[in-house]
Amino acid sequence: MRYLLQLSILLVALGTSAAFGADRIRLAQTQTAPALPPPQLLPQATAAGTCAITCDSVAMNCLNTCVGIGPASPANPQCSLSCTTQQLICKQRC
């Protein structure tokens, strides 16, 4: 009788630990990430778009020359106005 009680306690303990072990196994499973969508290519550049980008690049280079390097050479507002005007004229030609 004494062995039967000990044996039933042991079986209950093993049964509950096996149930908890199954939960642990289920939690340890990894999930795979969904596949990434294929990359979307940028649309082909149009002639007008390329022209406008060129105008902007030329204007930025012009504006960079207008910036004063130090207190001895301050920025020239007339230079900036000239660069912006050239940019607008260039874009109107596009």
Side-chain angles (χ1 to χ4, degrees):
M1 183 76 165
R2 190 173 85 176
Y3 294 113
L4 183 61
L5 178 63
Q6 290 175 351
L7 181 62
S8 61
I9 291 173
L10 181 64
L11 288 176
V12 168
L14 288 176
T16 56
S17 69
F20 289 129
D23 286 340
R24 277 189 230 131
I25 291 171
R26 193 174 323 137
L27 293 174
Q29 293 176 349
T30 59
Q31 296 179 352
T32 57
L36 296 174
Q40 295 196 2
L41 302 175
L42 296 174
Q44 293 287 336
T46 61
T50 304
C51 178
I53 290 172
T54 303
C55 293
D56 290 339
S57 297
V58 170
M60 288 304 115
N61 288 334
C62 179
L63 287 169
N64 285 337
T65 62
C66 297
V67 175
I69 297 174
S73 60
N76 183 358
Q78 191 64 29
C79 179
S80 299
L81 182 60
S82 174
C83 294
T84 307
T85 303
Q86 288 175 9
Q87 180 183 20
L88 290 175
I89 293 169
C90 179
K91 284 190 172 185
Q92 286 175 350
R93 291 180 189 152
C94 293

